[in-house]
Amino acid sequence: MISSYGQASAPTSQGFAEGVSFSVARDFPLGSDGFCWGVELTPLFFVNLTRVDLPGHPRESRFVVAAAPYLAFDAFKKSTVSLRLEVSVGLAWAFSPVPAEGSRFNFLDILGGRVRVRRPHGVSISGGLRRTHLSNLGTVGPDNPGLSFYAGVLVLDVAR
């Protein structure tokens, strides 16, 4: 289970944006060298936008669902404390355009790292940082107002 909270600089019409997400992920090892691939499903990604161009409606909220395959590397995999680096690119669908001048359909890319502490009985806890970018890559209209969130992340891993 993965939870994150972060803030972003937004397009010109929006002075600020923040995002909260809750996800589940599953790793699939790629040999014994620390690499794995996996899938992260995000049933709840909440985006709160501050609109400077709408004085009567200064805050707007958006709900997003997403799915993204990822590639990860665990350094010091056998020790109690390890370092994990992840990169992913996936798809996201919002129930309203994200950002407000954007589109419902977006691509989602994530780059992050975290420190993992293994606990007894197959449980580990990790914390770190993530950069999450939502963008339609110009597929809808000439404008591509993406959002880049810089977030703290907390992960609870339970061995299968």
Side-chain angles (χ1 to χ4, degrees):
M1 295 183 1
I2 304 167
S3 62
S4 71
Y5 168 79
Q7 299 177 350
S9 296
T12 309
S13 67
Q14 301 168 29
F16 174 78
E18 59 190 343
V20 175
S21 68
F22 296 98
S23 306
V24 293
R26 171 90 190 255
D27 285 354
F28 300 96
L30 291 172
S32 61
D33 56 0
F35 283 97
C36 69
W37 74 276
V39 176
E40 182 173 332
L41 302 174
T42 307
L44 178 60
F45 190 153
F46 175 75
V47 178
N48 195 9
L49 306 169
T50 299
R51 298 293 304 269
V52 296
D53 63 337
L54 296 175
H57 296 71
R59 303 291 273 178
E60 291 186 359
S61 300
R62 305 287 195 260
F63 291 95
V64 180
V65 295
Y70 60 84
L71 180 64
F73 175 72
D74 283 304
F76 318 112
K77 185 177 179 175
K78 304 247 186 232
S79 68
T80 304
V81 178
S82 64
L83 174 66
R84 181 176 173 104
L85 303 173
E86 298 175 327
V87 61
S88 73
V89 176
L91 302 174
W93 178 260
F95 295 94
S96 299
V98 174
E101 298 84 9
S103 62
R104 289 180 182 203
F105 170 76
N106 284 287
F107 293 95
L108 171 80
D109 62 90
I110 299 170
L111 177 62
R114 62 183 198 251
V115 174
R116 175 186 283 175
V117 178
R118 286 177 176 68
R119 306 294 300 153
H121 309 294
V123 174
S124 66
I125 299 170
S126 56
L129 299 172
R130 270 189 170 184
R131 178 192 178 271
T132 303
H133 182 75
L134 282 170
S135 170
N136 65 28
L137 295 176
T139 58
V140 180
D143 193 19
N144 180 26
L147 287 173
S148 292
F149 295 95
Y150 298 90
V153 63
L154 183 62
V155 180
L156 175 64
D157 290 322
V158 179
R160 302 174 278 294

